Amino acid sequence: MNEKKKNGVVQAIGKLWTHHSYIFIFLAILIVYALVIQSNGNTFKMSHISAILASQTTVIVGTMALGMALVIITGGIDLSVGSGLVLVTGVTIMAYNATSSIIVMLLAALIVGALCGLINGLMVGCAKMPAFVATLGTQLIYRSVTLTYVRMVDPALSGSSSSQFSMISSNKYYNALRMGFGTGKLNLGFIELPYITILFFVLLALFIIISTRTKYGKSIYAVGSNVRSARLAGINVTFVYVSVYVIVGFLVGIASFLQACKLGNITPASSGMNYELYAIASVVLGGVNMAGGRGNILGVLFGALSYTTINFIIVSIPSLSTDMQDACQGLVLIVVILIQTLSPIIKAHFNTAKKRKANEALAK
Amino acid sequence: MKILEMEHISKSFGGAKALDDVHLSVEEGEIHALLGENGAGKSTLMNILTGVLEADAGLITFDGKSYPEPTIAQMEAAGIAFVHQELNVINDLTVYDNIFLCREIKGKFGLLNKKEMIEQTRALFERLGVDINPMLMVSELKTSQKQLLEICRALYADAKLLILDEPTTALGNDEIDHLFEILRNLKKEGKSFIFISHKMPEIFAISDSYTVFRNGTFISSGKIADTTPFKITCDMVGEQYVDEDVYEERELGDVVVKLEHFCGQGFTDINMELRKGEIVAFTGLAGCGASELMQTMFGASVCEGGSVEVEGEKVQGDITDFMKKKVAMLPANRKENSVIPDMNILENTYIAEHSISRKKPFISIKNETVKYGKLKEMLNIKEESEKDAITSLSGGNQQKVFLARWLNTEADILLFDNPTQGVDVGAKAEIYRLILGFAKAGKTVVINTLEIPEIKKVADRCIVFYEGHIAGSFTHEEIDERTIMAHSTNAVETREAV
C-alpha cells in the first residue's frame, strides 16, 4: 500500500516535471539564493521571499511579460515594451499632475498603452511586417519621442525640471497612491505582500483563465501552432495578431500605473532600459516556446520569479563587481534554457540505446 | 551481385512498432520497387537506410561494407542518395549552385570557380539527356525539372543507389516517360534504384523486382516478371480490405447550393447546382481548378466574379460568413492545412466550432468532452484519451478528428478536398462509408479526389474539370474510369476534332 502511494507521488512529480519544469527551475534557483544568504552569515527568512515578490522585475516586468507570453505564443515578439513603459508612465504622471484624479491617471495609462500596442499590432497583423522589425522601430521611436518631449515640457506638468517625469507630491491623493498603494503591504502574518504584487497575481489569474478557458485564448495557440490550419478553421488571424499586441500595450499601461505609484517618477534616458529583454527572459524561463504555439501563462510567474531571484543572487555575492552582473545573468539564462532543450535530446538518445540493447538481447 | 542488404530491421516510435524484423535486398543495376500502403513502414526504412533515423535493431550492408550505426554523412559518402517527394532543392539558388552545393569548385583565393561549375553541369545534363539551363534560378523550374535536378545532383555526387520517393506524382505523362528513359539509361551504367510508388502501371513499366510491406512487416518480394498487379495489390492490402460497394441510391432533396458564373483563381464561369443529400465528386488532373473552386466556395480564396447561393441566399465574405451559412471545408494536405500540432485531440476538434460561437467566450471542457465522445463513437476514432496530442494519431484517425471538427459546426454542406489523402485502405473505406451516412442524414457532400474507383463507390454525380472549367458531368451509372480520364485529360475534344 505504502509502496503504491509512493509510486503515485513519484508519478505526479514526473508529470509536474514534464509539464511544469519551470517550478523546479525556480526552486533550484531559490535554494541557491538561500545558500548564498546563509554563506554571507545571514539567515534566509520569509522577508527574502517577500522581497522577491515585491521586486520591480517581478511586478512591473512580470505584468508586461504576461502579454509578451501571448505575443510569443502567436509566434511574434514585442521589443517595444521597455520604451513603451517610459512613454506611457510619462503620460500617466502628467495626467496625474494636471488633474490630481486617479481615474484620469489610470485611463490615460490604459488608453495610451493600448494605443502604443495597437500601432505594433496594425503593423504586424495588417501590414504583415516582421514583428521583430516593427517593434524594434517603435522601441526606438517611443523612447526618443519621450526624451525629446521631457526636455521641452513645462516643469509644472512633468513635475520635475531635471529631464524626468515626477508625481507632484503636494497634489491630492499623492500619499494614497504612493504610500498607500504603491509601496504599501498587506500583512498576512507569515508574509507581507505588497498591494501591487497582489494586483499582479489577480492579472496572472485573469490571463491564466483567458489562455486556458476562453475560445479567444485557444485561437492564440492555434495561430501560433499552425496559422494555415487556424485560418481554415475560421479563426480571424489578423484579429488575433492585432489583439495580442493591444493586450501587451494594455498591460504596459497597467505596468506604467504601477511604476508611477511604486516609484513616483521615471527618467526617459535610463528607466525601463532592456525591460523588453527581461520580459522575454521571464517568458522563456517560464517554458514558453519561442517558435510559438506552446507555453503556459503560469510559467510566466515562475519565469519572472526565477529571473528576479537570479538578480538577487548576483547582488548578494560580494565579490562580484556590478559590471559582471549582466554576464552572470546571461550565463544563467543560457544554462537554464540549455537544460530545457538538451534534456529531450539526451532522453531520446538513451531510449534508443536501451531499445537497441533489449532487441539485441532478444536476437541472441 | 547484391548492392544493398538490410536484415532484421526493427524500429518503434513510442509504443507503436513501425518496422518489425523486415528485410530488403537490392541487386546492383536494378530498379527495385518498394511497395506498401501509407504507414506500411517504407519511409521509416528509407530514413534508417539514409541515417536519418536510428534503427532499434538490425544489420545494413551496402556495397560490401556493413554499417552498424549509420549516420547521414556516412551513407551519403557511401553512395546512397534520397530523392524526396517534397523536393529538397534550394529555390533561391541557381541550378548549378544546387548541383555543387557543399562541394563547390574553388579557384584562386578560395573563390568559386563559376565557369567550371557551369561547364560541368552542362556536361552532366548532356550526358543524362536533361534539358535545363544551368544558369536559371531553381524557383523558375517546373516541378518535373526540379525532380530531374535532384536526381542529377545525386548522380553528380556519384551515388550508386538512388531512392526515389513517389517521383511521378507531380509529373505529366510525357515527363514521366522522359524520367523513365533517363532511369533506364542510368540502369545500364550500373546504378541501382529503390522506387517507391503507388501507381501499378508505372511499377510494371519500370521495375525489375519488388518488395511488399504491410503494417511494418515484410510480406513478399520477387521479380516483377513473375507477378501481376492483382497479386501485388493483395499483398499490399491483405485480407482486411473487402472491396464492397457501399453505394445506394437515395431520394435527393431541393437545390441547396447554386453557383452562377462563378469565377476565381484557377477557374472561370462555373455554373452548378447541388441538392440536399447529394454526393458530388469533383475530379480532374492536378491544377484543373477543382480544389481552388472548393476553397472559393468556402471563402478561403477570393471570388473574382459571379455568385454562390446557399439555401437561396447569396454568400459573400470570409470563411466565418460561409461557416455561418453552414458550409464546412476539410482542406487537402492535412499536415499543412488541418493539423494544429501543439494542441490535443479535443482542442483540435473544437477549434472550428469556437470561431462561430464567439458570443459565448468561455469554454466548458466538460460539455466539450461529452460531445466529443459522441463524435468519437460515430466516427470510430481510435485514441487512448482526448487529451493526447493530435500528432500521436495515425493519418486515418487524424482525418476522422478533422471530420469531427467540421461535423461539430453542424454544417449541412460539407466540402471535402482529397479526404482520403495519406489514409490507409481500411480507414479509406470507413471514411467513404461515413460520407454516405452524412448524405443519408440530409447533408450535401462534395468530394474532390483524383481516385476514380472511390468516386464510383459513393458519388451520385461526378463533375470533371479541365483547366478551370467543367469538362463533363456524369451520373452514378455513367462513372467509369476511362470516360473520366478521357475528359480530365481533354482527350475527348482532341478525338472529336480528328
Side-chain angles (χ1 to χ4, degrees), chain A residues 141-214:
Chain A
I141 293 166
Y142 292 163
R143 187 179 293 275
S144 160
V145 165
T146 319
L147 258 172
T148 315
Y149 186 73
V150 75
R151 295 194 210 286
M152 298 175 352
V153 74
D154 179 5
L157 193 59
S158 70
S160 162
S161 49
S162 57
S163 289
Q164 61 165 236
F165 296 98
S166 182
M167 285 168 75
I168 297 170
S169 56
S170 54
N171 275 16
K172 217 176 153 189
Y173 301 126
Y174 180 82
N175 281 331
L177 281 170
R178 293 272 289 108
M179 313 311 156
F181 176 68
T183 52
K185 287 174 184 174
L186 183 69
N187 197 338
L188 292 175
F190 66 100
I191 193 167
E192 284 192 320
L193 270 186
Y195 291 120
I196 59 171
T197 307
I198 295 170
L199 187 75
F200 170 59
F201 283 154
V202 172
L203 285 171
L204 176 76
L206 181 70
F207 275 85
I208 289 176
I209 290 170
I210 289 175
S211 69
T212 58
R213 289 281 188 269
T214 69

Side-chain angles (χ1 to χ4, degrees), chain B residues 202 249 457:
Chain B
E202 283 173 14
E249 216 157 306
K457 261 186 227 165

Side-chain angles (χ1 to χ4, degrees), chain B residues 336 360 405-406 410 425 427 446:
Chain B
E336 289 90 61
K360 293 180 196 151
R405 174 187 286 178
W406 291 109
E410 266 143 38
V425 175
V446 183

Side-chain angles (χ1 to χ4, degrees), chain B residues 178-196:
Chain B
H178 183 57
L179 175 70
F180 282 5
E181 200 184 296
I182 292 172
L183 294 189
R184 286 196 192 97
N185 285 334
L186 288 168
K187 203 170 85 170
K188 278 182 211 143
E189 288 180 24
K191 305 283 184 199
S192 316
F193 296 89
I194 294 175
F195 185 78
I196 300 175

